Amino acid sequence: MITTGGLIAGAQALAESELKKQAIKYLKDSVIEKWSGYRADKFFKAFLEEVRKESDSRYDSADLNDMLRKVAANDKQSSAIFDAYRKVALSASKDIGPMIIGVLTAIIVLEDREAAIDEELIFQAAETLNDLDFNNLVNWWSRKDKRVIEERGSLKIFVKYGPHQPPGISMGRQASGIDDVPLDVVSDVGIYALKLKNLGMLTELRVPRANPAVAGATEYFVIASPACRRLCEIAERVKSVEV
């Protein structure tokens, strides 16, 4: 026997279920689709601009629509665009990351090839770093210490001297070098540096002081791999261009 109370409880449960569905739909439409669409728009604009620029330089002002039709008809190239779009949807960055992915995808598609290992690392960085990270990375890259040494495509970038010894420390302790602590990339460079380090794009280097008795003469560097260099260069370019 169905009681009045049971009917009321059932109606309330149905109403709550409907409200939840409406709330989920609202969040999906107003939040998820909004920001997914925003990222996709940044990606496609950067992609199309790079295709247009590269097509003009390679094929004497080739028609953009013709180029895009050829890309769409090529399974490998269209698959590369789809994979890139998936990366964009998951990117922590709303602006710079999707634009980097768009530029790099256009280069790969126009060359009709698979992404190289370094390019896969750049894609991962574009997914991982947020816009604040990219802004800080570009600022650091543009004003990095002039003492930059190129070694096999990587850049050795000076960060600081150290460590600073507390007052009263003994000469014996200084000479032992036990206070030459590792570089703290978060505090000495930035959180973006830790993220790039975790991706294998940035490493640390400590050059011990030549004279152990001289405190604070240890040199600390970071090594930007070729992939890291290219990431920074693309980030600088897309950050300076409105698309």
Side-chain angles (χ1 to χ4, degrees):
M1 179 178 178
I2 301 175
T3 64
T4 302
L7 287 172
I8 293 173
Q12 288 175 336
L14 185 62
E16 289 176 1
S17 176
E18 187 60 32
L19 284 173
K20 287 180 182 177
K21 288 180 182 178
Q22 292 177 9
I24 291 170
K25 184 178 185 305
Y26 174 78
L27 289 174
K28 179 183 175 185
D29 294 343
S30 63
V31 177
I32 297 174
E33 290 185 3
K34 172 186 175 181
W35 291 113
S36 294
Y38 182 91
R39 284 167 167 78
D41 187 58
K42 289 289 182 179
F43 163 74
F44 282 118
K45 284 182 177 179
F47 174 84
L48 291 175
E49 177 60 22
E50 190 69 16
V51 169
R52 184 201 61 75
K53 184 185 72 177
E54 291 294 322
S55 298
D56 285 352
S57 63
R58 295 183 191 193
Y59 306 110
D60 191 22
S61 298
D63 182 77
L64 179 59
N65 288 331
D66 287 342
M67 291 294 302
L68 294 176
R69 278 192 287 269
K70 290 177 182 177
V71 167
N74 184 304
D75 285 347
K76 182 167 68 176
Q77 294 174 341
S78 59
S79 176
I81 295 172
F82 178 80
D83 288 342
Y85 177 77
R86 177 181 55 79
K87 293 180 176 72
V88 167
L90 298 174
S91 67
S93 165
K94 297 194 299 292
D95 294 294
I96 300 175
M99 292 167 70
I100 290 172
I101 295 172
V103 168
L104 191 56
T105 301
I107 293 170
I108 293 168
V109 164
L110 286 173
E111 294 178 358
D112 193 20
R113 59 175 177 79
E114 304 289 340
I117 294 175
D118 278 1
E119 290 168 334
E120 289 291 356
L121 288 174
I122 294 172
F123 280 135
Q124 289 184 43
E127 283 186 74
T128 303
L129 274 64
N130 58 40
D131 284 319
L132 179 60
D133 291 328
F134 277 119
N135 286 327
N136 290 335
L137 173 62
V138 169
N139 289 337
W140 170 74
W141 187 256
S142 65
R143 57 179 174 77
K144 58 185 177 293
D145 189 274
K146 300 303 180 185
R147 294 177 56 195
V148 175
I149 302 171
E150 184 167 0
E151 297 178 345
R152 295 192 296 272
S154 297
L155 287 185
K156 185 169 79 170
I157 303 168
F158 177 77
V159 175
K160 68 173 186 175
Y161 289 105
H164 298 294
Q165 306 290 358
I169 190 169
S170 69
M171 291 295 292
R173 186 176 177 86
Q174 288 183 18
S176 71
I178 61 175
D179 294 306
D180 285 353
V181 296
L183 182 71
D184 183 344
V185 292
V186 174
S187 61
D188 293 320
V189 184
I191 186 67
Y192 56 88
L194 178 61
K195 295 178 181 181
L196 293 174
K197 177 184 173 182
N198 290 337
L199 289 170
M201 300 174 74
L202 200 72
T203 54
E204 305 162 27
L205 175 66
R206 178 174 61 84
V207 179
R209 43 198 158 163
N211 183 352
V214 180
T218 295
E219 295 178 312
Y220 293 88
F221 299 83
V222 290
I223 310 296
S225 69
C228 185
R229 290 182 65 180
R230 193 175 178 196
L231 170 71
C232 293
E233 289 162 2
I234 297 175
E236 271 188 317
R237 179 152 67 92
V238 301
K239 190 175 182 296
S240 66
V241 176
E242 289 292 333
V243 297

